[in-house]
Amino acid sequence: MKNVVLASTSTLYGEKYLQYLLPVMQELFAGIEEIVFIPYARPGGISHDEYTARAAAGLAGTGITVKGLHTFADPVQAIREAKGFFTGGGNTFVLVKQLHELKLMDLLSEVVSKGTPYIGASAGSNIGGVNMQTTNDMPIVYPPSFQTMGLMPYNLNPHYQEPIPGVPHMGETRETRILEFHTQQSIPVIGLREGSWIRIKGNEIRLEGSMPAKIFEQGKTPYELAAGSDIKI
Amino acid sequence: MKNVVLASTSTLYGEKYLQYLLPVMQELFAGIEEIVFIPYARPGGISHDEYTARAAAGLAGTGITVKGLHTFADPVQAIREAKGFFTGGGNTFVLVKQLHELKLMDLLSEVVSKGTPYIGASAGSNIGGVNMQTTNDMPIVYPPSFQTMGLMPYNLNPHYQEPIPGVPHMGETRETRILEFHTQQSIPVIGLREGSWIRIKGNEIRLEGSMPAKIFEQGKTPYELAAGSDIKI
């Protein structure tokens, strides 16, 4: 049974790294002592070691330890044997390129679909969707494919926000970009605000956390979905 | 001799489409009656015909008429014979995919480098850089390559802006994204604010318009460059 959390962000404004997600992770990883951390998104270009240490520090006190996927001689075996996964945020292009080049994307999807608990934040949540084509990130590397795990039949837009009133800027809004996505593809998109996460348990997909999400379906006016609602698009 | 304008945006807040650029275009295209409009970036997914009509309307009264590149039976010949080019903004991924699939990217670069006047706005300016990997756009399609025209040895970030003070949002700032780009590539990046454009005449590259630009060089603290300055990085 799928057991997945896809969070908009790792960190809420004014809070410590992972602070608001710790209860969610303790429930997700109940009874599990060690999980595999996937550090490939490298926020700000930090090393895999540094990023894994940051994740370990964020989880200090929970009884959950982390081991970086990059430290295993055989990452395929590591994914097959992992008790749980946490994929940190950063650059989605960098993350997806690495997972495809190491032939780990489909394997991770398979293992998580069979029930190994998974939590992603930001870029780590983007890869839970059908493809990474609604990311906000800059294309700083060229991945061999934009396809991701497809743990749900939707795409995500993490850190979703509305335009800020009164700011005289002519760059596209987030909504404009997602509507442009729908000129090319029909996958529904969940605009996931900071403070929200998607909880997948088996066939149930629910919006959790403190904020409504904005739902984009091709050809429909975007609409709000209240926190706590089932997502059935 | 190269004769190029790369503008941050087509439209300033509160102004009509192309309004502030009309004097720039009249100087760039002095003595030219008809230019080729490249509509491939399709902002909001509008059709090539609609976008070309919008460009024609924006240029009404200047004596410059436009013909959409999509209307030529042989776009290679159209590019070779054009008297001038205007590439409109929209989605850079869509624009770059189309130019590569039609084998027009290198040809356009060659023709513009030999002196056919060129103006781009936003996505149309991104393709003046070495590659499109500092675009702000969403990767709604998968181009066969991220390489662009390389009319200057820099990349652009159009619609550049600083974080807005007091907005409690944890998504990356524009500066953070560009610094991440420099963890992967060494090409200098010009953060081009709305109201600014880059003017290339032969070997001279100058920042024009009303705003300073923010210059990002790998390994250096980003710095401001005043409007009117030569760009020599």
Side-chain angles (χ1 to χ4, degrees):
Chain A
M1 191 188 86
K2 267 184 221 164
N3 193 11
V4 172
V5 173
L6 304 174
S8 176
T9 185
S10 62
T11 314
L12 290 183
Y13 189 76
E15 289 195 1
K16 285 187 193 161
Y17 180 60
L18 297 181
Q19 185 178 329
Y20 84 104
L21 284 175
L22 291 181
V24 179
M25 295 176 88
Q26 285 178 302
E27 185 248 318
L28 177 71
F29 296 129
I32 297 172
E33 286 178 4
E34 186 180 271
I35 61 170
V36 168
F37 178 66
I38 303 180
Y40 297 155
R42 302 183 58 192
I46 63 169
S47 73
H48 295 151
D49 278 345
E50 287 173 305
Y51 199 15
T52 304
R54 187 187 295 180
L59 286 165
T62 62
I64 304 165
T65 59
V66 303
K67 195 165 172 186
L69 182 55
H70 66 293
T71 64
F72 290 88
D74 182 351
V76 168
Q77 191 187 354
I79 287 177
R80 290 210 182 281
E81 295 178 357
K83 303 294 181 214
F85 297 102
F86 169 33
T87 304
N91 185 288
T92 308
F93 290 85
V94 175
L95 171 63
V96 167
K97 179 171 189 275
Q98 184 87 338
L99 285 172
H100 277 300
E101 285 182 351
L102 297 174
K103 312 274 185 218
L104 301 178
M105 185 69 85
D106 291 344
L107 175 68
L108 190 62
S109 174
E110 178 197 323
V111 166
V112 173
S113 295
K114 284 183 183 162
T116 308
Y118 177 95
I119 183 169
S122 192
S125 296
N126 266 330
I127 65 169
V130 178
N131 64 44
M132 57 163 284
Q133 296 188 258
T134 49
T135 179
N136 310 306
D137 294 338
M138 203 171 252
I140 61 175
V141 297
Y142 185 71
S145 164
F146 284 161
Q147 173 249 324
T148 51
M149 287 196 287
L151 301 177
M152 56 182 190
Y154 315 125
N155 268 8
L156 266 186
N157 180 257
H159 306 283
Y160 182 79
Q161 60 175 353
E162 303 295 337
I164 298 156
V167 175
H169 186 76
M170 300 302 284
E172 291 88 357
T173 66
R174 201 65 69 80
E175 176 161 332
T176 303
R177 291 168 202 272
I178 297 171
L179 295 176
E180 272 193 4
F181 172 77
H182 279 149
T183 68
Q184 303 287 332
Q185 306 197 36
S186 61
I187 303 161
V189 180
I190 302 168
L192 197 63
R193 294 186 175 88
E194 295 182 352
S196 290
W197 61 91
I198 293 167
R199 187 74 176 92
I200 309 176
K201 283 186 183 175
N203 294 321
E204 283 183 9
I205 307 179
R206 187 168 296 167
L207 177 67
E208 300 198 342
S210 59
M211 302 288 285
K214 193 144 186 180
I215 308 294
F216 298 83
E217 293 184 68
Q218 193 182 39
K220 286 197 189 176
T221 303
Y223 56 92
E224 296 286 340
L225 185 77
S229 303
D230 286 338
I231 302 175
K232 290 180 181 172
I233 303 173
Chain B
M1 192 186 87
K2 268 183 219 165
N3 193 12
V4 173
V5 173
L6 304 174
S8 177
T9 185
S10 62
T11 314
L12 290 183
Y13 189 78
E15 289 194 2
K16 285 188 194 161
Y17 179 61
L18 297 181
Q19 185 177 331
Y20 84 104
L21 284 175
L22 291 181
V24 179
M25 295 176 88
Q26 284 178 302
E27 185 248 318
L28 178 72
F29 296 128
I32 298 172
E33 287 178 6
E34 185 180 270
I35 61 170
V36 168
F37 179 65
I38 303 180
Y40 297 156
R42 302 182 59 191
I46 63 169
S47 73
H48 295 151
D49 278 344
E50 286 173 306
Y51 200 15
T52 304
R54 187 188 294 181
L59 285 165
T62 62
I64 304 166
T65 59
V66 302
K67 194 165 174 187
L69 182 54
H70 67 292
T71 64
F72 291 87
D74 183 350
V76 168
Q77 190 188 355
I79 287 177
R80 290 208 181 283
E81 295 179 356
K83 303 293 181 216
F85 298 101
F86 169 32
T87 304
N91 185 288
T92 308
F93 291 85
V94 175
L95 171 63
V96 167
K97 179 172 188 275
Q98 184 87 338
L99 285 173
H100 278 300
E101 285 181 352
L102 297 175
K103 312 275 186 218
L104 301 177
M105 185 70 85
D106 292 344
L107 175 68
L108 190 61
S109 173
E110 178 198 323
V111 166
V112 174
S113 295
K114 285 182 182 162
T116 309
Y118 177 95
I119 183 168
S122 192
S125 296
N126 267 330
I127 66 169
V130 178
N131 64 44
M132 57 162 285
Q133 296 188 257
T134 49
T135 178
N136 310 305
D137 294 337
M138 204 171 251
I140 62 175
V141 297
Y142 185 72
S145 164
F146 283 161
Q147 174 249 323
T148 49
M149 288 195 288
L151 301 177
M152 56 181 190
Y154 315 125
N155 268 8
L156 267 186
N157 181 257
H159 306 283
Y160 182 79
Q161 60 176 351
E162 304 295 337
I164 298 155
V167 174
H169 185 74
M170 301 300 286
E172 291 87 358
T173 66
R174 201 64 69 80
E175 176 161 335
T176 303
R177 291 169 202 271
I178 297 171
L179 295 176
E180 272 192 3
F181 172 76
H182 279 149
T183 69
Q184 303 287 332
Q185 305 197 36
S186 61
I187 303 161
V189 180
I190 302 168
L192 197 63
R193 293 186 175 88
E194 295 181 352
S196 291
W197 61 92
I198 293 167
R199 187 73 174 93
I200 308 177
K201 282 186 184 175
N203 293 320
E204 283 183 8
I205 307 178
R206 186 167 299 164
L207 177 67
E208 300 197 343
S210 59
M211 301 288 286
K214 193 143 185 181
I215 307 293
F216 298 82
E217 292 184 68
Q218 192 182 39
K220 286 197 188 175
T221 304
Y223 57 92
E224 296 286 339
L225 184 77
S229 304
D230 285 339
I231 302 175
K232 290 180 180 171
I233 303 173

